[in-house]
Amino acid sequence: MDIETAIVKLIESIQSVSHDDLHFRLEILRTMKRIFAAHPSTRDTFRQSGGYVTLISMIVGMEGSFADPQKYYPSATIDQLLDLLQEVFHALGASMRNNDMNKQFFRTQVGYGALENSVRLTGGLESAGAPRSIFGILFGFAIDTEGRTTDLFVSTTENERLADHVEAILKQISVTVINPEIATSILHLQKLVSFDPDLSDAILCGIYALARSNRRNQVRLNKSGLMLAALDRILPLKDDDNDDAPLQEKQVLLNVVKKLMTMGISYEEIRHVFQGFNNGGTFSALHNDIGGHLMDLILDGASRSRWPNFIQFDMSCHGFSCLEIPSLPNFPQSSPGYTLLTWFHIERMDAVMPLTLLTLLDTDNIPVLKIIIDPASGRLQMHQAGVKQYIEFAAFDFQPGYWYHLALVHQRARLGINLSTMSLYVNDDVLILYFNLGARYKSLFQDALRQFQTYEASTTLFLSLRAMTKTFSRRDMDQSLLANVMRGAGSASVDESKFVLAFFASNDLMEGPHTGLTTSGLSTPALQLILASTKQAQLVLNSAIPKIEASITSPRAMGYLDGNPVVATPYGVDESMWRIGGSAVALTLIERSETSEMLFKATKVLCETIRYSWRNSEDMERCHGYEILAYLLKQKRELITVELMEVLLLFIGKDPVNPEDSLISNPFAYRYILLNFEVWKKTPLEVQKAHLAQFTLFLRTSKKRHFNLKRLQKFHLVKRMLLAFRMHIYSKSLTADVVAALKAVTICSWNTESIRAIATFLASTVSRGSVHSQQKHETH
C-alpha cells in the first residue's frame, strides 16, 4: 500500500469507527500527523479525499458532549474529550503546514465559519463545559504549536491576573501566527463566555498581544478579516444588533484595530467605519464617546498607515531570509556601469551579525561581492572576493526604524576596472526625482512622473531642480534632464530596456487569494501556469521583462523567496478613503461637525489624507474641495481654534521645528482658505492673531520668503489685506498685529500696484475722516 492510499484509508477509518471509541480516533489523528511530517505530498491527497470535511464532522459529532459527557460518551472524561479536540486541531494545522493550496482550500471551500459553528455545538464554551481549555486549543492552532495548549488560560500564580499571564506568553517576539483566520472566529466565540469576565478579558488581551508581538503577525492578522470583525463589535451598523461590545471591550478592540491599521485598511473596513458614522443619515455616532475614539483611530491610521508594499526578511525563524535570483545573464554589462536602487526599512539590527543587502555568487556558489551594513558603525560596506580591504562608505550611518532610499552607482573606468568608482546616495541625492516619488511608487519610471507628485514632493523637487541648475542659462535649464522628465514621460531619464532586475512586493504570489499577480488581469493560460507551479508561493515576477506571459515562461528571470519572508501589500487610510469617495468623505465629516474638537479632528483627517496622496490631492482640486472647505469653515468659524489653524498651517507648509524653513507648498489651500478673510471674521481673537502672524512667518521669517512671495504674486496680497481692514474683519484690539502683517506683506511686494493701493486706501480713509470732522464742526 502506497502512502497516499494509506491517508485515504485513515480518512475512511475515521468515518466508520465507533462514535465512542475515543482511543482509536486519537491514534488515527496522531498517525495522520506523523505521515504529514514524513511525506508532505500526502497533504494534497488529504485535501482531495475530503479530509477537511471529515475533521469538521468529527467536531460536529461531539455536539453537546462537554455539557453532558456521560450522555454521549459514557466512558469518557472532560480531559479525554479535550484531548480529542486538541488532536483534531493538531491534524488540521499539520495538513495546512507549508501548503498554501490547502490553506486556501479550507478558507474558501470549507470555511472558518463552519469550524466556528462546530466548536459552538460541542457545548464546551458553556459555563458547564471547558471554555478556558478550548480557547487555549484555538490559540494554539493560531500559532500552530504541536504541544498541549489547554492550560494557556490557566494562571500559574494566585495573584496573577489571567490577562497578564496570557499576554506575557503571546507577546513574545518569537510567537508567530500561522493560521490568522482563526483569530476572527476566536473573537466571535469570545461573546459566548461573558459569564467569565476574566476569561473574556484575557481572550481580547491575547489577540492584542499577538497583533503587536512582531511585524509578521501584524501583517497576517491585518488580512485575516479580524479588523472588520472588531470594527463590527465597536460600531454595529444595525440599531438592533446584539453584537455591540461593552465599553471596556471596545477600548481593547480599538487598540487591536489601531495596531493592525498600521498595515493598511481595506475598502470594506473603512466603508464600515463611515457607514457607522452615518447610521440613518444623522452622523449621530460622530459626537458620542466611541465616535471620538474612532476619529482618533482614523487620524492615527492616516498618519501611520502609509507603508508601501514590502517584503519583510525576518531571520529569527530560520536563521536566514532572502530573495534569490537564479542567474544574472550578461551582468555586469559592458556598459559604462550600473545602478542599484532600492527602498528598505531596518526593523531591528543584530548587535553582532552584519545586515546583508546583496550577495553575488559565481557558478560554484562562492560569494564574489557582498554589500552589508556593519552593526557596530551602521555604515555600508562592500566586500569583494580576493580583495582583503573592504570599501566603507563613512558619510552615512544607517539606523533602525527609518525608511531609506539607497542608490549605489558603479561607474566603470575606460582605462581599466581597477579605476572604477562606486558612489553611494541616500535619500536626498542626485536621484531626487525618484526619491520624491516615495516608497509607495511601484513602476519603472516610464510614466509622466509629474502626476505622482504630492504638493510637498513637487515643491521640494522644484527647489532642488532650481538649486542644481541655478548656474545654467535658461536654455540649459529647459533642456535639463529633470525638467524634461517632469514635462513628459519618465522614459526620458531611463529607457525601459536598460533595466535588468526590478522586483516589487505586489508582484508576488503569496499571502492570500486577493494579492499578487493573480489580481492583475492575467490571461487564463498564464494563470493556470502560475497555479500549476510547485513554488507558486515563493515566486516574485521580474518586472524588467515587459510582458508577464513572457516572464512566467522564463523561470530563471523570476525571483524566489526563501526563508519564509512576509509579503505585505497594504492600502493606507488615504488610499482607501480615495476608493470610497476621496476628499468628499472628509469634507462631509467637517460639514457634520458640531463641536470644536470634532471640527479639528475632521479637518486634520482631510489634511492627512491629502498631504501624502497624489490621488487625493488631484481629487481635491478637481472637485473644488478647497473652495468647499473654505465655505464650511466660514459656516463654523465660531468653532475654529488655534489648534485647527496650526493644522492648516502645517498642511500648507509650516515647519514646526524650524519655522525659518517654512514654505508654501500648497498654494491652493493658501489662496482659498487663508486668503479668504471672510473665513476669519468673527473667529476668536487668538485665532485671528495666529492668522495674521502667518503672513510674517511666510513672508519675512522664512528663508524661502522669495519663493513664497512668487507663489502669491497673482493674489494681490496688499489689496486683499487693505480690503479686510476696511471691512473690519479683525478686532480693533488687534490693530498692532494687522499693521505688522500689512507691513510684512508690503515690504516684500513693494511695487507700483501696492503703492497705488495703499495711496488709494489712505486717501479714501482720510477724506472720510476730514468730511466727518468738518460736519461735526459746522454742527457746533
Side-chain angles (χ1 to χ4, degrees), residues 27 303 319 684:
E27 287 304 317
S303 60

Side-chain angles (χ1 to χ4, degrees), residues 674-678 680-681 691-692 695 717-731 738 742 761:
L674 291 190
L675 292 185
N676 187 339
F677 291 93
E678 283 292 326
W680 311 104
K681 186 178 183 179
H691 179 250
L692 290 168
F695 288 108
L717 286 180
V718 174
K719 284 185 176 181
R720 284 175 177 256
M721 290 204 67
L722 292 173
L723 179 61
F725 191 73
R726 179 175 295 174
M727 295 173 62
H728 305 290
I729 296 292
Y730 299 102
S731 171
V738 173
L742 181 60
F761 174 80

Side-chain angles (χ1 to χ4, degrees), residues 100-139:
D100 293 321
M101 189 170 291
N102 279 13
K103 288 184 177 182
Q104 182 176 353
F105 178 85
F106 184 83
R107 181 176 60 244
T108 58
Q109 303 301 317
V110 181
Y112 279 86
L115 182 63
E116 175 187 328
N117 291 331
S118 65
V119 173
R120 289 174 187 254
L121 291 175
T122 64
L125 299 180
E126 299 175 7
S127 57
R132 295 195 175 198
S133 298
I134 290 179
F135 275 106
I137 293 173
L138 294 176
F139 271 90

Side-chain angles (χ1 to χ4, degrees), residues 214-233:
N214 57 61
R215 185 74 66 192
R216 182 188 298 270
N217 292 354
Q218 193 180 21
V219 171
R220 288 179 173 173
L221 290 173
N222 173 276
K223 295 186 288 186
S224 69
L226 175 61
M227 192 155 64
L228 184 59
L231 286 169
D232 195 42
R233 293 279 295 279

Side-chain angles (χ1 to χ4, degrees), residues 228-282:
L228 184 59
L231 286 169
D232 195 42
R233 293 279 295 279
I234 297 167
L235 196 66
L237 296 184
K238 298 179 181 179
D239 292 334
D240 58 346
D241 199 333
N242 295 323
D243 204 28
D244 197 11
L247 186 59
Q248 183 178 355
E249 290 189 1
K250 285 184 177 182
Q251 188 58 58
V252 180
L253 291 172
L254 278 168
N255 291 336
V256 172
V257 175
K258 180 179 179 181
K259 178 58 66 174
L260 297 182
M261 192 184 288
T262 305
M263 289 295 101
I265 184 169
S266 69
Y267 169 81
E268 293 81 7
E269 289 158 352
I270 198 166
R271 187 168 178 264
H272 184 99
V273 172
F274 287 101
Q275 279 184 329
F277 278 144
N278 194 23
N279 194 4
T282 62

Side-chain angles (χ1 to χ4, degrees), residues 465-572:
L465 177 63
R466 190 176 67 173
M468 293 169 61
T469 57
K470 62 182 179 181
T471 58
F472 297 170
S473 67
R474 180 67 185 177
R475 181 178 180 181
D476 291 334
M477 184 173 178
D478 289 341
Q479 295 177 349
S480 67
L481 180 61
L482 282 175
N484 290 335
V485 170
M486 290 304 296
R487 292 192 185 104
S491 56
S493 63
V494 183
D495 189 272
E496 190 174 11
S497 63
K498 299 295 185 182
F499 287 92
V500 177
L501 296 173
F503 293 106
F504 302 99
S506 56
N507 284 351
D508 78 296
L509 293 173
M510 295 180 68
E511 304 293 337
H514 302 299
T515 59
L517 295 178
T518 54
T519 62
S520 59
L522 294 176
S523 64
T524 301
L527 206 55
Q528 291 174 345
L529 185 61
I530 291 174
L531 295 176
S533 172
T534 57
K535 289 188 175 182
Q536 60 167 310
Q538 288 79 42
L539 290 179
V540 182
L541 180 69
N542 180 8
S543 297
I545 300 176
K547 294 185 178 181
I548 295 179
E549 273 77 1
S551 64
I552 290 174
T553 57
S554 304
R556 298 187 69 81
M558 292 282 200
Y560 294 87
L561 296 170
D562 200 3
N564 197 25
V566 177
V567 178
T569 53
Y571 273 99

